[in-house]
Amino acid sequence: MTEKNNITLACIEQEFKSSLKHCAQLIPLNRWHSIPEKTGLHTHASKYGLAVERAGEILFHKAFLATESRNQLRATMRHELAHFCVGIRHNHDKVFKRVCNWFSDDVHVPQKEMDDITAHIKFKWQIKAHMASGETVELGGVHRKTKIYTHYPCPKKGAFMSIKGVKVERFEFIEAAS
């Protein structure tokens, strides 16, 4: 069996050069907070990419290597380049969002590409929503149990969630097989 056209380290490096050139045409590099110099891989549980400003490095989740998710790679690359442009201190504030949207306005990521990547990330829990209609909806993987699901509905607000207009009665966590 042959691998299709999976992303490689060389593909990531090529996308880095291409996206940096694209973004530098929009905002010249001499106006950036800092300039990234290299790319690498990481295994952080919940992030597609990381901007490591002090090292001048953009890290990508190794799950990209098992996919053909080139649009998601480009979107992630430009997201991380926006962090370098405005500075990490801006996190995901309105300044960052404005630059990120400008850098990525020509990129469309199909849901399949996101699904392909998350399928290669090991999650500790799978979460299911039990609906008022009696059906169960698989919501995918999570790394930790959060209050939004464990204390549902919110005791103070009494607010309910819905999926496609159907009320969620409760959430269930299932420990993923190792």
Side-chain angles (χ1 to χ4, degrees), residues 66-81:
T67 73
E68 297 179 46
S69 301
R70 293 178 190 282
N71 292 306
Q72 182 62 52
L73 175 65
R74 177 166 290 156
T76 303
M77 181 71 72
R78 293 188 183 174
H79 175 103
E80 301 310 329
L81 288 171

Side-chain angles (χ1 to χ4, degrees), residues 52-118:
V52 186
E53 196 172 35
R54 69 186 175 281
E57 188 171 28
I58 298 175
L59 303 175
F60 291 87
H61 197 288
K62 68 178 185 173
F64 272 100
L65 300 177
T67 73
E68 297 179 46
S69 301
R70 293 178 190 282
N71 292 306
Q72 182 62 52
L73 175 65
R74 177 166 290 156
T76 303
M77 181 71 72
R78 293 188 183 174
H79 175 103
E80 301 310 329
L81 288 171
H83 280 300
F84 277 91
C85 182
V86 301
I88 299 295
R89 72 184 182 283
H90 282 282
N91 198 11
H92 291 124
D93 68 7
K94 65 183 179 181
V95 172
F96 166 81
K97 286 179 183 174
R98 185 174 26 241
V99 170
C100 188
N101 288 338
W102 197 20
F103 282 1
S104 301
D105 73 340
D106 63 334
V107 181
H108 170 71
V109 181
Q111 183 65 43
K112 181 185 181 329
E113 289 194 13
M114 290 184 272
D115 294 344
D116 286 348
I117 294 168
T118 55

